[in-house]
Amino acid sequence: MADPQSNAPSRADAGAPTSGVIHVRTRLTADFTVISNALAQMRGSAVTVGVAAYIASLPDGTPVTIPALCKHFSEGEILISRALRELEEAGYLERRRERTPKGQVRTRTYFYDVPSGGPEPDPDGPPRPRRPRQVPTAAVAVPAPLREAVQAPAAPVKAETPAPLADADPRALAVLTGLRRVDPRLVLSEREAARLVPAVTRWLATGLLPTQIADHLTAGLPDRLLTRPIGILSHRLKETPLTTPAIRPTEHPASSATLAMRNCDGCDRGFRSDGAIHCRDCRAVRDQLRAVG
C-alpha cells in the first residue's frame, strides 16, 4: 500500500509582510563589505552614506581625495566635500596632516567602522591607528591661580581689517577687476580685492606693467578651482619681485659741440664746418673729378 500523500505545506508560513521591503538573502563568501547598521541607516544625505560605503569597500592606500571621488561618483565637488565633512562630524572619517621623514607634509585619511571607539585589531594584518584618547578636564588637577587665569575671559582678538577700496591705488584695483576678462572664474568680492590691492601695489612699484602682473596671475591656472580664487592669487603675490634697475644716461662725447657757420668757397652756400672750406656737395663733385682723372 502506497504512503499517504498530503498537499499541506511542510512548515507553517512565517508570515510575509504586506508592505515594505522583502529581502532576498544570498550568503556571500567573497567580494563583500561589512558595515554597521548605524552607518547604513544614518539619517541625512544619501550621498554621505554612499560615499561611506564606497570608502569602506576600498583597500588600504586607495586615494579618497575629492577629485578621486568625483571620478567615481556623478555628483560634483560640493556634494562630495559636504559628505566628507558630515562623515568627519559623525566620527567615521578623520583627515590628518602628517610630516614624512623627508619633511614633506601630506594628508592621510582614516576611516573608522565604529565612530565611538577605535577599531578592533585585524588578526590578518597590523591594526589601524587609534585616535588619541580624550582626557576629561575634571580629571586634571589645576592649581587655583592657574584655574582663575584659565577661567578669565580672554581678550577679543581683533581681525585685520583691509583698507577701504576708496584709498586703494587705482592701477592696482584695475588689475584685479580686469582678471575676470582673462578668466571668468577670477571674480573677487570687495573684501577680497581690498586684501590683494596692497600686494599688487608693491608689484607695480617695482616697475612691472599691469599687463605683466595680470599675465603672472592668470598663467597656468588649474582646470578646476577647488576653492575661492583669492587663495591662489594671494599665493602668487606673496613674493615681491626685484625692482627694475635704473638706466644710466649715455654720456655724449665732447665733439658734439656746435660748429661755426661759413660760406662754401665753391658755391657760396652756408654750412657748418670744422675747418673745411667747401660744403659736402662740392667736396663730392671734386672727389668724382679727381677719380675720373
Side-chain angles (χ1 to χ4, degrees):
M1 182 175 180
D3 295 335
Q5 301 292 331
S6 175
N7 294 330
S10 59
R11 58 188 178 89
D13 191 357
T18 58
S19 63
V21 64
I22 299 177
H23 292 284
V24 181
R25 302 292 185 181
T26 301
R27 183 177 179 83
L28 301 177
T29 58
D31 295 335
F32 64 93
T33 301
V34 178
I35 61 176
S36 63
N37 288 340
L39 176 59
Q41 300 173 6
M42 184 172 62
R43 296 182 60 86
S45 173
V47 179
T48 303
V49 179
V51 170
Y54 174 69
I55 295 178
S57 67
L58 296 176
D60 290 344
T62 305
V64 289
T65 59
I66 294 178
L69 294 175
C70 288
K71 292 181 180 179
H72 179 78
F73 294 99
S74 59
E75 284 74 13
E77 298 177 359
I78 297 178
L79 293 179
I80 295 298
S81 61
R82 183 184 304 169
L84 294 178
R85 288 196 303 269
E86 291 180 357
L87 291 174
E88 282 184 312
E89 294 173 358
Y92 289 99
L93 187 74
E94 182 181 5
R95 287 179 284 194
R96 302 180 189 173
R97 295 180 63 84
E98 300 178 354
R99 188 176 297 276
T100 62
K102 296 183 179 181
Q104 300 175 349
V105 178
R106 63 180 180 181
T107 301
R108 301 196 66 177
T109 304
Y110 297 93
F111 189 82
Y112 299 92
D113 296 332
V114 180
S116 59
E120 295 296 331
D122 185 2
D124 298 331
R128 296 181 182 179
R130 295 179 180 268
R131 286 175 290 181
R133 179 184 176 186
Q134 299 292 337
V135 180
T137 307
V140 181
V142 182
L146 183 58
R147 189 185 309 114
E148 296 177 357
V150 172
Q151 294 178 355
V157 179
K158 296 183 179 180
E160 183 179 356
T161 304
L165 292 180
D167 302 334
D169 187 352
R171 295 189 305 161
L173 189 58
V175 171
L176 295 176
T177 55
L179 295 178
R180 68 179 68 181
R181 291 193 292 266
V182 181
D183 193 327
R185 299 174 297 175
L186 302 181
V187 178
L188 301 174
S189 63
E190 292 186 2
R191 185 176 182 85
E192 292 173 340
R195 289 177 53 188
L196 295 177
V197 157
V200 178
T201 303
R202 291 193 299 268
W203 279 59
L204 291 172
T206 60
L208 291 176
L209 298 176
T211 54
Q212 293 175 316
I213 300 177
D215 293 342
H216 172 72
L217 295 178
T218 57
L221 291 176
D223 297 335
R224 304 172 67 181
L225 295 180
L226 303 181
T227 59
R228 292 284 297 166
I230 185 176
I232 190 170
L233 295 179
S234 60
H235 177 73
R236 294 190 174 189
L237 293 171
K238 183 178 180 180
E239 301 292 340
T240 306
L242 292 176
T243 306
T244 304
I247 301 177
R248 296 182 178 180
T250 305
E251 298 181 358
H252 298 282
S255 59
S256 60
T258 304
L259 301 178
M261 291 291 298
R262 65 167 299 162
N263 293 339
C264 177
D265 291 349
C267 63
D268 200 29
R269 183 175 61 181
F271 71 101
R272 295 187 180 277
S273 172
D274 56 350
I277 60 176
H278 294 90
C279 65
R280 180 175 55 187
D281 295 339
C282 292
R283 290 199 301 270
V285 172
R286 291 169 61 89
D287 294 340
Q288 291 178 359
L289 294 175
R290 189 179 298 111
V292 172

